[in-house]
Amino acid sequence: MNPPVPWSELHRALTDHAPEDRRADGRPTDVPANANGGDSPAWSRTRRPYEPGAARATGAVPYAELHCHSSFSFLDGASHPEELVEEAARSGLEALALTDHDGLYGVVRFAEAARTVGLPTVFGAELSLSLPGNQAGEPDPLGTHLLVLARDPQGYAGLSRAISSAQLAGGEKGRPVYDRSHLAEAADGRWLVLTGCRKGAVPAALAAAGPAAAGRALADLVALFGRANVAVELWDHGDPLDSARNDALAELAGRSNVDVVATNNVHYATPARRPLATALAAVRARRSLDELDPWLPACASAHVRSGVEQARRFRRYPGAVERAAELGLACAFDLRLVAPRLPPFPCPDGLDEMGYLRRLVDEGATRRYGPRHRERVPGAWAQLDHELEVIAGLGFPGYFLVVWDIVRFCRDNDIYCQGRGSAANSAVCYAIGVTNADAVALGLLFERFLSPGRDGPPDIDIDIESARREEAIQYVYRRHGRERAAQVANVITYRARSAIRDVAKALGHSTGQQDAWSKQVDHWGPVRTTAEQLDHDIPPAVLALAAEVEHLPRHLGIHSGGMVICDRPVV
């Protein structure tokens, strides 16, 4: 006899969640709202669609910020792209450029947010030239900078190609190697090049050797990229020498007949982010804030400014602020990245991809199920015909062939591999050996895996034994070519434990203390969860700064097995 237990109490006992502990979508309240609930054994997080936090205002003075770093400059930018977009919209900017260091990692988030608030976008990067080695741990990294803005999508493609080629040529992470002639070729007249910050060749030559040397450096840029594609950049962060430097740069631009533009060399959205920016700089330099203090900016000035603020600051240089707006709008375009297609799969005997897939399915199904008219599992061949019809209608035969080819390589070389997840719902995947789950005999629903109502290709996960996974990766490179295949990069972001550890180091606490505090962090929750608990002795200053650091990108990693394959060079 069932015990007289109310359903709500039984539900709580079985699930550890009372009905009132669930959200409207039925998921427990302690499951992240942005969890995707996929095939993985644990909840994983996905980035939620951007929701605008500010309406776009109209600026009294036209201005566009052409030099701006986000958190995707990795420890050299203290605001997410969305925060920068919102502040630019609130300040009434005509356009905003994203110019992170040696990469385009933040452009998709930047473009999505800017499109939502109606802010024109400029895409660029600050290139690090002449690096002697990886600059991690340097308080003031070496090398010179070149600030590049793409004038159009073709210019963006050239910039992507130049950065990727330089990263490959460097041979080590954090040390791209740019070739001047290759830069000019990649630019093809479609870049606007600014002289940049104090690390730019022109300002650096001015500070080190005077106006004549700065003039030669500017002439080099003009010769390389063309006079119409070079502009002298002025910025003012309140340093006593900023005015003298800007006077000299403006005079040099006049003599050289190139544009003068004002920027603010932005590294965070608002002045309130300055403490975070300095802490990240300390992490990057592997020093405490006290040790790094001689290299830190004197005040919170590298934030998004309005046209009115910039006009007041640069009134000695008439037109520099307005010219930034004109160039920003001229270079602005909407970046809608379209996924390239898979490379065509080489098929034997003159067959096309669908024909070859049908042959493989016929051969595999005969082994698995028996001949078409004497099948061992009732309905198997009818299900295969249905699935092949859907695959043909959606244009995915090449996708299945690519996956089959990788599995075939592993099986031929005694590398353990197994398809899993929703792909196990497919009789085609079972027939060609991608999975070992008989979807027909088990009565699994194919539409959970693939249907005409779903957008995009199906998701086939292949687990490959870790000790030999590299062999499969190298096979994909050989099969599809080094230029058309690449491993996926992971953006490693701060979680509670790593945030506590890095922030404690920046604030000057010992290594032992960093370790002790990181072990007191709640294993699953954010920093806020730890702060609300009583069983720790982490100082409030560490917790507060760690909460700001949390979820910021820290560095790039490499996915253990994720690869991109496409029909054109990845770069």
Side-chain angles (χ1 to χ4, degrees):
M1 180 177 178
N2 291 331
V5 179
W7 166 248
S8 59
E9 188 174 333
L10 182 61
H11 187 275
R12 183 194 301 272
L14 292 174
T15 66
D16 289 331
H17 294 97
E20 61 269 22
D21 294 332
R22 290 182 174 270
R23 290 194 295 267
D25 61 7
R27 288 183 294 178
T29 53
D30 61 353
V31 170
N34 57 340
N36 64 11
D39 296 321
S40 59
W43 293 103
S44 60
R45 297 176 183 271
T46 58
R47 183 168 56 87
R48 305 181 72 182
Y50 171 73
E51 297 180 4
R56 188 180 175 200
T58 301
V61 176
Y63 174 62
E65 181 54 64
L66 301 180
H67 189 165
C68 182
H69 295 276
S70 76
S71 52
F72 285 91
S73 278
F74 299 111
L75 305 181
D76 195 36
S79 291
H80 293 295
E82 296 86 349
E83 295 176 280
L84 295 165
V85 165
E86 289 178 4
E87 186 61 18
R90 188 194 65 80
S91 301
L93 267 59
E94 298 286 310
L96 179 66
L98 190 67
T99 56
D100 285 318
H101 288 295
D102 301 300
L104 304 167
Y105 312 110
V107 296
V108 173
R109 288 175 56 174
F110 171 63
E112 288 177 351
R115 188 182 304 123
T116 303
V117 301
L119 180 70
T121 47
V122 181
F123 302 95
E126 190 165 35
L127 311 184
S128 303
L129 311 182
S130 306
L131 291 179
N134 189 310
Q135 297 299 290
E138 293 291 337
D140 188 18
L142 302 174
T144 58
H145 292 174
L146 181 70
L147 194 79
V148 173
L149 304 175
R151 291 186 178 273
D152 52 30
Q154 290 75 27
Y156 175 88
L159 179 58
S160 175
R161 185 168 62 252
I163 293 173
S164 300
S165 299
Q167 297 284 12
L168 290 170
E172 64 176 305
K173 187 176 179 180
R175 184 180 173 257
V177 175
Y178 296 94
D179 181 275
R180 285 173 57 87
S181 62
H182 290 169
L183 287 176
E185 180 182 347
D188 192 28
R190 297 179 182 274
W191 292 355
L192 173 62
V193 173
L194 306 189
T195 52
C197 62
R198 67 185 182 88
K199 291 285 187 178
V202 176
L206 178 65
R216 290 191 293 271
L218 181 57
D220 285 345
L221 292 179
V222 168
L224 197 61
F225 299 105
R227 195 173 304 279
N229 296 320
V230 175
V232 168
E233 176 181 347
L234 310 181
W235 76 97
D236 190 333
H237 285 173
D239 186 278
L241 296 179
D242 281 354
S243 293
R245 182 203 61 242
N246 285 339
D247 286 345
L249 288 174
E251 182 179 347
L252 180 62
R255 290 203 308 266
S256 303
N257 194 27
V258 299
D259 274 323
V260 176
V261 296
T263 81
N264 201 42
N265 190 10
V266 170
H267 282 71
Y268 39 87
T270 64
R273 281 294 204 181
R274 196 258 181 175
L276 175 60
T278 58
L280 293 174
V283 173
R284 185 181 72 249
R286 299 174 184 168
R287 287 165 168 77
S288 70
L289 283 166
D290 286 343
E291 294 169 326
L292 191 64
D293 185 64
W295 289 278
L296 292 174
C299 59
S301 54
H303 60 90
V304 175
R305 295 183 185 274
S306 68
V308 171
E309 292 176 282
Q310 287 291 78
R312 183 167 57 246
R313 192 163 285 251
F314 290 94
R315 59 182 177 270
R316 294 168 61 182
Y317 315 103
V321 173
E322 292 80 0
R323 186 57 178 153
E326 293 170 1
L327 289 172
L329 288 173
C331 294
F333 60 91
D334 184 20
L335 183 69
R336 292 185 182 271
L337 293 177
V338 179
R341 299 184 180 185
L342 285 171
F345 193 87
C347 301
D349 304 328
L351 294 171
D352 62 9
E353 291 178 342
M354 195 63 219
Y356 190 36
L357 179 60
R358 288 185 187 278
R359 175 192 285 185
L360 293 175
V361 170
D362 286 346
E363 294 172 353
T366 301
R367 292 192 301 271
R368 297 279 203 183
Y369 294 118
R372 177 177 287 272
H373 301 295
R374 297 194 304 276
E375 58 190 16
R376 292 187 291 271
V377 179
W381 282 94
Q383 178 63 27
L384 288 167
D385 291 341
H386 165 65
E387 293 187 16
L388 287 171
E389 183 179 350
V390 173
I391 291 168
L394 294 176
F396 292 142
Y399 180 90
F400 283 81
L401 290 174
V402 167
V403 174
W404 164 81
D405 184 54
I406 296 171
V407 171
R408 179 199 55 78
F409 168 81
C410 291
R411 298 269 163 80
D412 289 350
N413 290 276
D414 295 322
I415 301 172
Y416 178 77
C417 74
Q418 180 63 59
R420 63 166 172 85
S422 59
N425 289 44
S426 168
V428 165
C429 287
Y430 178 60
I432 63 177
V434 171
T435 70
N436 281 323
D438 185 348
V440 181
L442 294 170
L444 302 180
L445 182 66
F446 172 67
E447 282 68 21
R448 180 177 177 266
F449 169 62
L450 183 63
S451 73
R454 292 186 58 176
D455 183 28
D459 181 17
I460 302 179
D461 298 311
I462 306 175
D463 291 330
I464 302 174
E465 60 174 304
S466 59
R468 302 187 65 188
R469 188 180 297 136
E470 184 63 27
E471 294 177 51
I473 290 172
Q474 293 304 320
Y475 172 73
V476 172
Y477 278 127
R478 292 193 302 272
R479 179 67 150 157
H480 300 284
R482 289 266 169 187
E483 290 188 344
R484 288 172 167 76
Q487 283 190 258
V488 173
N490 286 338
V491 178
I492 309 301
T493 58
Y494 275 106
R495 292 293 182 258
R497 179 170 292 189
S498 57
I500 291 288
R501 186 185 296 276
D502 273 5
V503 163
K505 182 174 183 178
L507 293 178
H509 297 285
S510 67
T511 301
Q513 195 65 75
Q514 298 163 32
D515 292 339
W517 287 334
S518 69
K519 293 175 182 176
Q520 297 175 23
V521 172
D522 183 275
H523 285 279
W524 305 108
V527 173
R528 182 186 68 254
T529 303
T530 300
E532 292 170 351
Q533 297 172 352
L534 301 177
D535 57 344
H536 68 81
D537 60 353
I538 306 173
V542 173
L543 287 168
L545 196 53
E548 286 194 68
V549 168
E550 195 172 24
H551 304 308
L552 284 177
R554 191 188 190 283
H555 60 273
L556 286 180
I558 300 177
H559 193 286
S560 58
M563 297 193 74
V564 172
I565 307 169
C566 56
D567 61 349
R568 68 199 70 174
V570 176
V571 299

